[in-house]
Amino acid sequence: MKLWHSFVKELVLASRSFYFYIELFMAFIFLFLLLFVIPEQFNSKSDEYVYWDMPEAGRDLLAEQALDADENGVAETVALEYNGESVSATLYSTETQNIYVLGDRETAVNLADEERAFAAIVHMDDVGEVTYTYYLQGYETERLRNTYRVFHNEDTDILADAFDNQDVRSLETEHVLLTDRENVIPSFLTFNGSLMGLFIIASYIFLDKKEGVIKAYAVTASSVWQYLMSKMGIIMLTSTVTSLLIVIPVMGLQPNYLLMLVFLLATGFAASALGLVLTSYYDNIQQAFGMLYVLIIALMLPNVAYFIPSWNPTWITFIPTYPMLEGFKEILLTNSNVSYVLLASSGFLVAGIALFLFANVRFKKTLTI
């Protein structure tokens, strides 16, 4: 009962503090971005600039092929702004590319050189031999470079037959992917639950240290662990509520909310326990700012790997926010990997208990210092 009364008291105090409303404000910001700023699907089309250096008959043939590949079957004349001037180009739009056919070689080369655009020159000599010159930017992968070499050193009919005869088997036919908007939610939940929780509990503790609340426990019958647990309870409650506020309007009934609740509580417990350990070594937030900053930056690194799958070094998987991101993503899917989420929840719970016990010992020592 003492723990419950302590929790209720801390909840009342927290509701009157500035930090409590920061969490709510951030949740509404995330929700606004999801509903009104982030599109359902990002436009992933690449812009390519091409000059057809060949006789008129060759251009007509390529234009005919480009029209067949165009989504609407219609070529569009557009004006490109370049060096303060308007340059006319013909646009062919496919599912993955916006191909701008330019009127001269110089414009294509300058766009590649000055605007860092992808450009190509298709040249046909007097005997009908076609060659391709690509202007790359240096960041292209070796796989893409090799693809160009293979494509232009092998008969296209042979390549087409090889693609058509390739045996492709679906290992899971009922797998449903998240939209680009939904795919951003795990990152928001990780930030809201772990990084914000870490910062907010640190702010609460440092405020109490400044007002002498923690020192007062040395002459009271209340236990330090009850005080710490009530603080963690506030963080877990607010992070759970704000996380649901972010997810429900966007995802509806699709996620497994029972599984989400378990995961939110486990990750919130671990994050707030880590915050307690951090605050046990400093007297105020000014002293802890450097360490808090470094810790938050380190915890944000898995977000880079999450949005750029090609960069996924092994060491980054050991950062706690990495399994958080994967866990939230699994929960949002209709066919969630329940065993992974429960295993990750157990790991965060064990880590949180260990950190909490250590923080309790540390705070008891500070009472006599």
Side-chain angles (χ1 to χ4, degrees):
M1 289 300 293
K2 285 186 179 180
L3 178 59
W4 172 251
H5 288 304
S6 179
F7 171 75
V8 172
K9 182 183 70 174
E10 293 294 339
L11 182 60
V12 173
L13 292 175
S15 65
R16 299 172 182 171
S17 70
F18 171 73
Y19 301 109
F20 180 83
Y21 295 99
I22 287 181
E23 285 196 88
L24 289 176
F25 177 74
M26 289 301 300
F28 281 112
I29 289 293
F30 290 149
L31 183 60
F32 176 81
L33 292 175
L34 289 168
L35 293 178
F36 302 107
V37 178
I38 300 175
E40 191 76 19
Q41 296 289 349
F42 291 112
N43 183 9
S44 58
K45 291 184 179 182
S46 60
D47 292 335
E48 300 181 5
Y49 301 88
V50 183
Y51 171 62
W52 294 335
D53 184 13
M54 58 185 65
E56 190 69 29
R59 292 198 196 99
D60 292 341
L61 179 61
L62 289 181
E64 198 175 309
Q65 295 175 350
L67 276 175
D68 292 337
D70 190 274
E71 288 181 308
N72 302 316
V74 178
E76 181 182 356
T77 302
V78 297
L80 302 175
E81 294 297 327
Y82 167 67
N83 278 349
E85 299 180 357
S86 181
V87 178
S88 179
T90 304
L91 171 63
Y92 299 93
S93 183
T94 68
E95 291 184 0
T96 58
Q97 299 166 310
N98 289 321
I99 303 173
Y100 296 90
V101 180
L102 304 170
D104 60 90
R105 174 192 292 267
E106 183 180 359
T107 301
V109 175
N110 288 339
L111 281 170
D113 184 39
E114 300 175 15
E115 302 296 327
R116 308 293 291 176
F118 177 87
I121 307 295
V122 185
H123 174 72
M124 179 183 290
D125 58 22
D126 296 335
V127 295
E129 187 75 22
V130 178
T131 58
Y132 298 82
T133 303
Y134 293 99
Y135 293 87
L136 306 180
Q137 301 302 329
Y139 52 74
E140 295 81 6
T141 63
E142 189 65 27
R143 178 181 297 180
L144 179 63
R145 295 170 182 266
N146 290 336
T147 300
Y148 289 144
R149 295 188 182 101
V150 171
F151 186 79
H152 296 302
N153 285 280
E154 186 63 81
D155 189 278
T156 55
D157 293 333
I158 296 176
L159 290 175
D161 290 339
F163 290 145
D164 292 338
N165 295 326
Q166 185 69 41
D167 185 20
V168 179
R169 301 178 183 178
S170 298
L171 299 179
E172 189 174 353
T173 58
E174 297 181 359
H175 187 70
V176 179
L177 298 176
L178 298 175
T179 65
D180 290 335
R181 175 186 295 163
E182 294 168 348
N183 202 43
V184 176
I185 295 178
S187 180
F188 284 174
L189 294 180
T190 301
F191 181 88
N192 183 71
S194 61
L195 303 184
M196 282 294 293
L198 177 66
F199 174 77
I200 297 297
I201 198 170
S203 301
Y204 282 153
I205 296 296
F206 286 132
L207 183 61
D208 284 355
K209 280 188 175 185
K210 180 180 179 181
E211 296 177 352
V213 173
I214 298 179
K215 288 287 186 180
Y217 274 83
V219 293
T220 64
S222 300
S223 301
V224 176
W225 75 267
Q226 292 177 347
Y227 163 77
L228 298 177
M229 185 62 74
S230 63
K231 287 292 187 184
M232 293 175 66
I234 299 300
I235 300 301
M236 292 163 62
L237 175 63
T238 54
S239 65
T240 299
V241 171
T242 52
S243 295
L244 293 175
L245 180 64
I246 294 171
V247 175
I248 292 176
V250 180
M251 299 295 297
L253 299 177
Q254 177 178 321
N256 186 333
Y257 284 105
L258 180 59
L259 196 61
M260 178 179 290
L261 182 61
V262 172
F263 197 64
L264 282 170
L265 293 176
T267 54
F269 182 79
S272 54
L274 179 61
L276 290 178
V277 172
L278 175 68
T279 56
S280 69
Y281 286 93
Y282 301 95
D283 294 327
N284 54 63
I285 198 168
Q286 288 79 15
Q287 293 178 359
F289 181 79
M291 181 56 67
L292 194 61
Y293 179 79
V294 170
L295 190 59
I296 289 177
I297 292 297
L299 292 174
M300 289 177 64
L301 285 177
N303 282 278
V304 180
Y306 179 77
F307 289 108
I308 310 177
S310 60
W311 184 76
N312 195 14
T314 303
W315 58 266
I316 210 167
T317 61
F318 295 100
I319 300 177
T321 44
Y322 186 91
M324 284 187 191
L325 286 164
E326 294 300 319
F328 282 125
K329 186 173 183 178
E330 286 295 334
I331 291 169
L332 296 180
L333 294 170
T334 54
N335 49 345
S336 305
N337 188 342
V338 178
S339 59
Y340 176 85
V341 177
L342 291 178
L343 181 62
S345 300
S346 301
F348 282 114
L349 182 61
V350 171
I353 291 174
L355 289 170
F356 176 77
L357 293 176
F358 180 71
N360 186 46
V361 173
R362 285 284 308 162
F363 273 94
K364 283 183 178 179
K365 287 182 178 180
T366 61
L367 297 180
T368 59
I369 295 177

